[in-house]
Amino acid sequence: MPQIFRAANLVRELDKEDLRILTGIELGMRRFQFVPVEQISFYARINRSETQFRLDKIHQIGILQRSSQLGYIGYQLISESYDVLALNALVEKNIVVAVGDAIGRGKESDVFFGKTPDGNDVALKIHRIGQTSFRKVRKLRNYVKNRRHISWLYVSRLSAESEYEALKRIEPLNLNVPKALGQNRHIVVMELIDGNDLSLIPPLTDPMDVINQILRIVEALFTEAHLIHCDLGEFNIVMAADEQVQLIDFPQWEESTHPNALSYLARDLQNIQHFFLKNYEVTFDVDEFLDRMFGSERSQLEKY
């Protein structure tokens, strides 16, 4: 059973005091790798004896990690307890009421069906950044550099916040990009889109038209939303049945004014060019596109 299902059940089964204990540990993890019981009691605003009782209960359930190797007994959240906190917050905000089957799983995220209070299906994207995700660390280093302790749970939260910010910025443009409906911690709730990844190499009636759709979206993102996808490729492009293009997965986006904007955009375009040339034997002029985006500044930017 996927851990998100167990987490959803625990949202219903745990007492509100248990959830306060989990939140207390989360707050304490800003300063401690393993949070001492006294600090958990302070952050949760629950007396010491009840805090210990709740900790023993939650630890027995199996959603806390405990250590006594630092000269004291301390606790830290694991991914499942983080799921509990995020889902509970989304339920309290009336954003989702249920979690359904898996839609897809990757190295850095899992996506599940969700249900809103009014019965609509949505996608729940759960960011799960591991210690080998060096690209994410580079992307997020400016946010974490002043923190004494940084957990991978918090990095996953930053990844989700980054994607949510991008989707909200894009939303007014009415592009074929899923709308963000809510976000808490490492989970982003977004509009459910229908289609298959371009990576499956579907038969296309007009591959050049698909390329032009992609380029129009990329151009609008750059000139109107002022951002670059920075991880664009066949795995992040969804094809609807009518061959309409939809772009997904935006946690690694960067500003169009970033010092490396030219190289980031060029890499995205080259990924698309390579895929279509290899699989559909059609191409486009990357240089012409970059000239249009950067104009006379391009030659200067290429020096860096």
Side-chain angles (χ1 to χ4, degrees), residues 142-197:
N142 290 333
Y143 298 98
V144 304
K145 63 182 179 181
N146 294 322
R147 294 177 63 91
R148 291 176 56 194
H149 301 278
I150 178 66
S151 74
W152 295 103
L153 299 180
Y154 186 70
V155 175
S156 294
R157 174 180 186 152
L158 293 177
S159 179
E161 289 175 349
S162 177
E163 179 157 43
Y164 183 75
E165 180 185 349
L167 294 178
K168 296 305 288 185
R169 186 188 292 196
I170 296 166
E171 185 175 333
L173 303 180
N174 294 315
L175 299 175
N176 285 355
V177 171
K179 293 181 180 178
L181 306 175
Q183 178 262 327
N184 188 270
R185 294 175 174 86
H186 62 315
I187 299 179
V188 180
V189 182
M190 62 184 71
E191 178 185 29
L192 189 64
I193 61 175
D194 187 25
N196 294 307
D197 288 359

Side-chain angles (χ1 to χ4, degrees), residues 264-299:
Y264 291 155
L265 184 57
R267 184 179 60 196
D268 279 356
L269 295 170
Q270 288 159 2
N271 288 342
I272 300 304
Q273 183 188 56
H274 175 76
F275 175 82
F276 276 91
L277 187 59
K278 177 182 177 181
N279 295 288
Y280 297 98
E281 297 183 343
V282 295
T283 190
F284 64 97
D285 193 329
V286 171
D287 285 329
E288 181 182 323
F289 189 95
L290 293 173
D291 283 341
R292 191 163 71 252
M293 294 302 98
F294 292 94
S296 60
E297 296 180 2
R298 182 181 173 187
S299 59

Side-chain angles (χ1 to χ4, degrees), residues 226-245:
H226 308 293
L227 62 83
I228 303 166
H229 188 286
C230 289
D231 192 31
L232 189 59
E234 62 270 24
F235 295 97
N236 296 327
I237 298 172
V238 175
M239 298 298 303
D242 60 358
E243 296 192 4
Q244 290 297 301
V245 168

Side-chain angles (χ1 to χ4, degrees), residues 60-194:
Q60 189 171 16
I61 291 171
I63 60 171
L64 284 182
Q65 188 171 354
R66 180 167 61 191
S67 174
S68 58
Q69 297 181 355
L70 300 173
Y72 63 89
I73 297 176
Y75 297 81
Q76 70 174 204
L77 301 180
I78 62 174
S79 61
E80 194 166 5
S81 40
Y82 209 50
D83 290 350
V84 170
L85 288 174
L87 286 176
N88 181 68
L90 292 169
V91 169
E92 287 189 338
K93 293 178 181 179
N94 290 317
I95 296 173
V96 295
V97 295
V99 180
D101 293 337
I103 298 174
R105 297 190 177 184
K107 292 185 296 183
E108 298 176 343
S109 66
D110 297 330
V111 185
F112 291 84
F113 285 103
K115 189 75 72 174
T116 66
D118 54 7
N120 291 327
D121 289 328
V122 292
L124 271 64
K125 182 172 180 180
I126 307 169
H127 291 243
R128 301 198 188 281
I129 309 303
Q131 295 190 27
T132 58
S133 297
F134 296 115
R135 288 185 304 167
K136 283 292 192 303
V137 175
R138 286 203 302 269
K139 158 71 178 172
L140 300 168
R141 66 156 67 99
N142 290 333
Y143 298 98
V144 304
K145 63 182 179 181
N146 294 322
R147 294 177 63 91
R148 291 176 56 194
H149 301 278
I150 178 66
S151 74
W152 295 103
L153 299 180
Y154 186 70
V155 175
S156 294
R157 174 180 186 152
L158 293 177
S159 179
E161 289 175 349
S162 177
E163 179 157 43
Y164 183 75
E165 180 185 349
L167 294 178
K168 296 305 288 185
R169 186 188 292 196
I170 296 166
E171 185 175 333
L173 303 180
N174 294 315
L175 299 175
N176 285 355
V177 171
K179 293 181 180 178
L181 306 175
Q183 178 262 327
N184 188 270
R185 294 175 174 86
H186 62 315
I187 299 179
V188 180
V189 182
M190 62 184 71
E191 178 185 29
L192 189 64
I193 61 175
D194 187 25

